[in-house]
Amino acid sequence: MKTTLKIALLAVAAAAAFGAAAQGFPAKDKVITLVVPFSAGGPTDRVARDLAEAMRRPLGANIVVDTTAGAGSSIGSARVARAAPDGYTLLINHIGMSTMPALYRKLSFNVLNDFEYLGLINEVPMTLIARPTMPANNFKELSAWIQQNKGRINLGNAGLGSASHLCGLMLQSAMQVDMTPVPYKGAAPAITDLIGGQIDLLCDQSTNTVGQIEAKKVHAYAVTTSRRLTTPALKDLPTLAEAGLKNFDVSIWHALYAPKGTPADVLKKINDALKVALKDPDFIKKQEGLGAVVITDKRVDGAEHKKFVAAEIERWGAVIKAAGAYAD
């Protein structure tokens, strides 16, 4: 009985400590670390820095962005999964959160069970672009060129598990054409080689391609969203679904996570700050400048965010397994 009473008292004490921590969150002398599992300067890093500034005010705490890149975002994600569940270490990740379970068959964490889901942030459209010397003037002509050059097409990507890699897999599946993948260490060198004519095609985020399209350094053929975009540089581009690839809809979303076991009160404070940030005119303007659309639907809530990711895991798992594109 004494042992049972002692365990019960310890449990009460622990709960009280967590409650006190939540009530005092965030402490004035502590900094929140927002982990980006990709390289500094990339699109996710840019979104993270904009978000950190927009959340700082409603949360009343300093938020520092820390990049921990590698292995298709799994290294940085594992770091947050192992972090103390106190709200002071958060993760921002993109669609990679839903592709890791299929790409990496020996992950050190479980995507659905080892994180608290805080909500989606934005969605970024993808664009299909080609080297400037590509003879095709529109997607119909490009499609014909692809059919005529089967087995000789180089399709660049920013690395295994990157947004451009995933979009490329979907493109090949939809067109029923195998292309030679050319992986790079990031989007920047891939675009450089595309401009230089070393590769033929690239499917990448508008955050990386709008500038090149505006400068007419590449040929742009289509966007991957279900509807046409209003961004000036992209507004005249058809969707791939409109161009004949039925149900082709790929957007690269970003979302926020905390370690599993973070107290509910702390999660609510972070989620409340996220919702305020997503309505911040300055944040919205910055995202629009990247070609991104800020989330306004129910996926800004943790439970709906988790449902969405579970569906994305199933969707992308089928694509990755069909391609046999594993990272381990």
Side-chain angles (χ1 to χ4, degrees):
M1 290 294 291
K2 288 183 179 180
T3 301
T4 302
L5 178 61
K6 186 177 181 180
I7 291 172
L9 290 173
L10 286 172
V12 170
F18 270 120
Q23 289 174 9
F25 178 87
K28 292 182 179 180
D29 61 341
K30 296 197 73 172
V31 172
I32 295 172
T33 298
L34 179 56
V35 175
V36 175
F38 301 100
S39 300
T44 304
D45 183 48
R46 293 172 69 183
V47 173
R49 293 180 189 281
D50 291 344
L51 183 69
E53 178 59 26
M55 287 183 65
R56 179 184 60 80
R57 293 183 289 272
L59 202 51
N62 287 324
I63 303 175
V64 298
V65 175
D66 190 357
T67 56
T68 304
S73 82
S74 63
I75 294 175
S77 299
R79 171 185 168 186
V80 176
R82 294 191 301 264
D86 54 12
Y88 291 102
T89 304
L90 304 176
L91 171 70
I92 181 172
N93 203 347
H94 66 18
I95 197 171
M97 202 69 171
S98 64
T99 59
M100 281 189 288
L103 280 171
Y104 295 88
R105 293 165 290 185
K106 296 179 181 178
L107 276 179
S108 63
F109 56 89
N110 185 292
V111 167
L112 289 175
N113 297 333
D114 291 342
F115 297 92
E116 302 290 352
Y117 285 63
L118 287 160
L120 261 68
I121 301 163
N122 67 12
E123 287 182 311
V124 182
M126 305 286 284
T127 50
L128 178 61
I129 57 177
R131 54 182 166 81
T133 54
M134 178 64 68
N137 295 308
N138 51 52
F139 183 77
K140 183 178 180 180
E141 292 182 7
L142 178 67
S143 183
W145 180 89
I146 288 172
Q147 295 300 323
Q148 292 164 6
N149 289 274
K150 288 181 179 180
R152 295 179 291 172
I153 302 169
N154 292 321
L155 177 64
N157 66 64
L160 189 66
S162 66
S164 53
H165 174 231
L166 299 168
C167 185
L169 289 178
M170 183 81 74
L171 179 68
Q172 293 175 83
S173 176
M175 297 192 75
Q176 297 185 328
V177 175
D178 288 332
M179 304 179 193
T180 302
V182 183
Y184 290 83
K185 292 183 178 180
I191 291 175
T192 297
D193 272 10
L194 184 74
I195 293 171
Q198 279 76 41
I199 54 176
D200 299 308
L201 298 171
L202 180 67
C203 183
D204 202 17
Q205 300 178 60
S206 62
T207 47
N208 294 324
T209 64
V210 165
Q212 310 302 331
I213 293 170
E214 288 177 329
K216 301 187 184 306
K217 292 183 178 180
V218 297
H219 273 306
Y221 292 99
V223 294
T224 64
T225 47
S226 59
R227 286 182 282 187
R228 289 199 181 202
L229 303 173
T230 57
T231 306
L234 309 177
K235 64 182 179 62
D236 294 327
L237 295 179
T239 68
L240 282 171
E242 180 185 339
L245 302 187
K246 293 183 179 180
N247 302 317
F248 198 108
D249 186 5
V250 179
S251 291
I252 303 306
W253 44 267
H254 291 90
L256 195 63
Y257 309 82
K260 186 71 174 180
T262 303
D265 287 355
V266 171
L267 294 174
K268 185 177 186 308
K269 287 186 177 182
I270 297 170
N271 181 256
D272 287 346
L274 172 63
K275 290 177 178 177
V276 171
L278 298 184
K279 293 178 181 178
D280 184 319
D282 187 49
F283 178 74
I284 293 171
K285 184 177 180 180
K286 288 178 179 177
Q287 297 310 292
E288 288 176 345
L290 297 174
V293 178
V294 174
I295 298 297
T296 58
D297 57 49
K298 59 186 180 181
R299 292 174 297 170
V300 298
D301 291 313
E304 292 298 329
H305 170 197
K306 189 171 184 178
K307 283 183 187 177
F308 172 75
V309 173
E312 287 282 275
I313 288 173
E314 185 174 348
R315 175 195 186 196
W316 285 106
V319 173
I320 292 165
K321 288 171 185 175
Y326 302 112
D328 55 11

